[in-house]
Amino acid sequence: MTSGTDAFQVDLRGLVELLSRHLYSSPRVYLRELLQNGVDAITARRALEADAPARVLLRPLDDGGLEVHDTGVGLTADEARDLLATIGRSSKRDDGREPGTADPLAGVLGSGRGDFLGQFGIGLLSAFMVADEIDLVSRSARDPQAPPVRWRGYADGRYELTELDPADPAAPAEPGSVVRLRPLRDAEHWLEADTVAALAADFGGLLPVDVSVEVRLEDGSTARRRLSGGELPWRTAYADEAERARALAAYCERTLGFTPLAHVDLDLPVAGLTGVAFVLPAAVAPTTAAHHRVSLKRMLLGTGVESLLPEWAFFVRCVVDASALRPTASREGLFEDDVLFATREALGEQVRAWTLDTLAEPSPLARSFLSTHHLAVRALAVQDDAMLDLAARVLPFETTVGTRTLADLAEPADGEPPAGVLWTTSVEEYRRVAAVAAAQGLPVLNAGYVYDADLLARVARRRPRWRLAPVAPGDLEAVLGEVEPLRELEVTDALVALGHDLADQDCDVQLRVFSPPEVPAMLLTDRDGEHARQVRETAAPVGDATDVWGAVLAGLAGPARARRLVLNDANPTVRALLAAADAPVRAAGARSLYVTALLASGRPLAGAEAGLLDDALRTLLERALPAPDGAPHAAPDTTPDTETEDDAR
């Protein structure tokens, strides 16, 4: 019995299918991969010759093909066989060291040299997404005596590798490589001159090497148009900060498509990262995914990279270049590792510091930023004490005494001791009590929007002297006027009857006097009562004793705290209702006021509540309009449905 070791065989067509359909988002990345190979080859050659030329030339061909020339290190026959016939092998892995020799940068930046961008073999094969034939000719700078080589690969998996005569016209005259692509059917547009120039400018516009495209002029001659080079836009020197701000705003308009409200410089030397965070000019939802433009070693990685900043920093879009971050397998996103985590936290700290500095002093920018991105400030304040303290002094809140900050409410300018600040946990609750609380001079804050309740709870714990608390029914009842004893005796029977009319809504009825008199009633609820109400409604359909969960829920519900419909005795409609002798009209009026109080909170009506209003309006209309035959209307049956013994039998 014998044993041996064999290499896996790779189906090239299946691999190309995998690349095009499952790894890369678009065939457009083929040009990025070819540029990466060229730049890496140039980097390797400059390790041998510091003054070696650094050029990548893109030449669209008359037959629809494309040539990519680079002045890189080139390949020998053995290197070409090793790299191009072995999928995934990288020419950058060891930089010429013997197998087993450690890379001194590997412990910091991973298994590849930090100066290199990608993997040669996979990068070259990505061209099969747009081409059915790849022709590579190369001359080595590492071994000048080695003959030029030609590698020709086909989409069906075949390849040819031959050594060329140095005098062969197809061989490069100088060290470097030339890649020729023959377009795949229905993919010809990816190799057209305009498409190639646009892709090269997008992917390689920041590269420190000369990336050019050959263009044909009107007279039939050709010229080279440079697409790259120069300093990074955010590192270019300007006469003053105002000129720099205008230049960066113009760059943002060209690159990201909006005029920024401001910009934040980003600099993280440990990750080799520099760039700019541009503040959006309009508000966005906190759940909006933030897409950033990220380059690695000045080659564009992607324009929709996520997870570069903390979630609370959804109000900025970044353009950055880094050297220590790892790309994903598709090289269109960032690999989630400890380096990215530390980078995200550090960049978030820089954006946070800018936000704190901007809001610390009143300025037009601070006002504009706060009015546009107050949600972002709230999001950060929920988790950051420094921002929480600042937010308490600058964030505006909707209150019953106008738009105010927490500091305005809790620390009156007249020097009076804090009277306490109440807040509602929902917009509906605020709308129920706002008019009455405002008329009584009771400050109530609307904390029904995203982040507000959590923010106020944190402030309450951090500043107990401010006496911040959620509003409770007793807080409002304390400022409502009591009805005179004689008046209370006069309407006692009517109030008891109204209580019976609303008993099926778990609602008690009380009579008070309050402003404004135009408000006939106010509905008071509390969270415990609403919770018990919901539990009871959930348990009701499954109240059969054989249903275990129904029994459990019923046991948890306990005695519900009834809602309270507080009638305003200063309102003429309420006084007329209490004086009504017609019991059905009085019941319909009570139910109309109950539903109206619900609607006043902005809460949509449930089906049962809509039916309640419909029945009440029908009763009132029947009483107000004569019957068609002139006969009096029959009094509707307002008693709740019950099952009699005869029905049971």
Side-chain angles (χ1 to χ4, degrees):
M1 180 176 180
T2 61
S3 63
T5 301
D6 292 323
F8 283 107
Q9 300 299 311
V10 176
D11 180 354
L12 186 57
R13 279 176 294 187
L15 179 61
V16 173
E17 181 81 1
L18 177 67
L19 292 176
S20 61
R21 293 186 179 272
H22 303 289
L23 184 61
Y24 296 124
S25 63
S26 166
R28 71 193 297 268
V29 301
Y30 86 93
L31 193 61
R32 181 195 64 195
E33 299 297 322
L34 294 179
L35 286 176
Q36 283 184 343
N37 284 345
V39 173
D40 286 340
I42 291 170
T43 302
R45 183 176 177 186
R46 285 200 159 180
L48 302 174
E49 310 168 37
D51 57 349
R55 295 189 303 271
V56 177
L57 174 64
L58 306 169
R59 176 179 291 158
L61 304 177
D62 293 337
D63 63 358
L66 174 68
E67 283 186 355
V68 181
H69 299 246
D70 70 66
T71 58
V73 71
L75 296 171
T76 64
D78 289 340
E79 290 169 343
R81 185 177 297 105
D82 188 37
L83 294 173
L84 299 176
T86 306
I87 305 305
R89 178 70 57 84
S90 172
S91 64
K92 285 75 73 175
R93 180 165 53 191
D94 295 317
D95 191 27
R97 286 182 293 274
E98 293 298 324
T101 303
D103 184 342
L105 294 178
V108 179
L109 299 178
S111 62
R113 278 287 306 273
D115 293 337
F116 295 95
L117 297 173
Q119 285 194 323
F120 190 89
I122 290 292
L124 186 63
L125 292 181
S126 68
F128 278 123
M129 292 190 293
V130 297
D132 62 3
E133 181 181 315
I134 301 174
D135 186 10
L136 167 71
V137 292
S138 185
R139 182 186 291 269
S140 175
R142 185 178 287 113
D143 184 1
Q145 303 305 316
V149 297
R150 170 175 239 157
W151 180 91
R152 182 174 290 170
Y154 304 91
D156 61 6
R158 295 177 295 116
Y159 75 91
E160 302 168 358
L161 180 61
T162 59
E163 293 185 344
L164 301 177
D165 188 292
D168 191 320
E174 299 293 334
S177 300
V178 179
V179 177
R180 297 183 182 91
L181 305 181
R182 189 177 72 183
L184 195 65
R185 186 175 179 180
D186 297 330
E188 294 87 352
H189 61 286
W190 290 111
L191 304 185
E192 292 176 355
D194 291 343
T195 302
V196 169
L199 292 177
D202 197 30
F203 285 121
L206 298 181
L207 287 172
V209 304
D210 178 358
V211 177
S212 303
V213 62
E214 188 174 270
V215 296
R216 190 169 297 280
L217 304 179
E218 293 181 357
D219 61 3
S221 62
T222 60
R224 295 182 180 182
R225 177 158 64 92
R226 183 160 181 169
L227 304 173
S228 69
E231 185 56 275
L232 294 171
W234 51 89
R235 305 191 75 170
T236 303
Y238 295 95
D240 53 39
E241 186 57 34
E243 181 183 354
R244 181 173 184 268
R246 288 191 296 270
L248 288 177
Y251 173 75
C252 180
E253 292 170 1
R254 294 192 308 270
T255 307
L256 301 181
F258 64 86
T259 302
L261 190 65
H263 71 268
V264 184
D265 286 308
L266 304 175
D267 188 15
L268 195 59
V270 70
L273 184 147
T274 63
V276 185
F278 294 102
V279 180
L280 291 170
V284 293
T287 54
T288 302
H291 294 156
H292 307 288
R293 186 180 179 90
V294 176
S295 297
L296 294 184
K297 307 176 187 73
R298 301 181 70 157
M299 176 72 77
L300 179 66
L301 179 73
T303 58
V305 178
E306 301 180 10
S307 302
L308 183 66
L309 292 179
E311 291 183 358
W312 57 262
F314 54 83
F315 61 95
V316 297
R317 299 293 180 267
C318 297
V319 181
V320 302
D321 177 62
S323 61
L325 299 179
R326 291 177 57 194
T328 57
S330 67
R331 281 181 272 190
E332 295 177 284
L334 293 173
F335 186 76
E336 194 71 39
D337 58 9
D338 291 342
V339 177
L340 179 58
F341 176 80
T343 299
R344 181 163 52 238
E345 294 301 308
L347 294 181
E349 179 58 30
Q350 294 182 14
V351 175
R352 168 187 173 276
W354 177 89
T355 306
L356 288 170
D357 291 344
T358 299
L359 297 179
E361 299 294 336
S363 69
L365 175 59
R367 289 190 292 272
S368 180
F369 175 78
L370 198 59
S371 64
T372 305
H373 296 298
H374 59 89
L375 275 182
V377 176
R378 286 171 158 84
L380 180 55
V382 167
Q383 54 186 287
D384 184 90
D385 287 342
M387 181 57 75
L388 182 69
D389 292 338
L390 181 60
R393 300 193 175 278
V394 302
L395 268 182
F397 288 90
E398 178 186 12
T399 79
T400 54
V401 291
T403 301
R404 297 286 191 274
T405 68
L406 287 177
D408 292 338
L409 295 173
E411 297 178 348
D414 56 13
E416 292 293 324
V421 179
L422 302 174
W423 81 77
T424 63
T425 56
S426 68
V427 176
E428 292 79 8
E429 185 181 12
Y430 178 79
R431 289 173 178 167
R432 279 198 298 268
V433 304
V436 175
Q440 318 310 313
L442 179 66
V444 178
L445 185 149
N446 182 5
Y449 298 105
V450 62
Y451 301 121
D452 283 353
D454 292 337
L455 188 152
L456 288 169
R458 289 196 74 224
V459 174
R461 292 192 297 270
R462 190 167 175 82
R463 295 179 178 270
R465 183 173 176 273
W466 282 8
R467 297 169 58 194
L468 304 176
V471 68
D475 296 318
L476 288 172
E477 289 182 281
V479 298
L480 302 181
E482 295 286 343
V483 178
E484 293 182 357
L486 290 178
R487 171 64 176 163
E488 192 167 7
L489 287 173
E490 178 185 340
V491 298
T492 296
D493 292 341
L495 290 175
V496 171
L498 294 180
H500 286 302
D501 295 332
L502 294 178
D504 58 341
Q505 302 300 314
D506 283 342
C507 185
D508 197 3
V509 179
Q510 295 178 345
L511 187 65
R512 294 288 188 270
V513 179
F514 52 86
S515 296
E518 294 79 15
V519 177
M522 177 175 60
L523 187 65
L524 298 182
T525 63
D526 61 76
R527 281 173 290 181
D528 292 339
E530 287 300 307
H531 174 70
R533 188 181 165 86
Q534 292 171 4
V535 169
R536 203 166 50 256
E537 290 174 355
T538 302
V542 292
D544 191 329
T546 61
D547 189 289
V548 175
W549 289 111
V552 170
L553 289 173
L556 291 175
R561 297 181 182 177
R563 292 175 175 178
R564 273 171 282 179
L565 183 67
V566 182
L567 302 178
N568 186 4
D569 200 40
N571 181 269
T573 301
V574 171
R575 296 183 73 88
L577 177 65
L578 293 174
D582 191 331
V585 169
R586 188 174 58 212
R591 296 187 176 200
S592 297
L593 288 179
Y594 169 76
V595 177
T596 301
L598 283 175
L599 287 172
S601 68
R603 185 187 121 177
L605 294 183
E609 293 161 346
L612 191 70
L613 179 61
D614 181 67
D615 291 343
L617 290 177
R618 185 173 64 251
T619 298
L620 294 176
L621 287 173
E622 288 175 349
R623 283 296 187 269
L625 300 175
D629 56 1
H633 291 285
D637 182 11
T638 60
T639 59
D641 294 333
T642 56
E643 185 181 58
T644 64
E645 292 183 6
D646 291 338
D647 293 332
R649 286 194 294 269

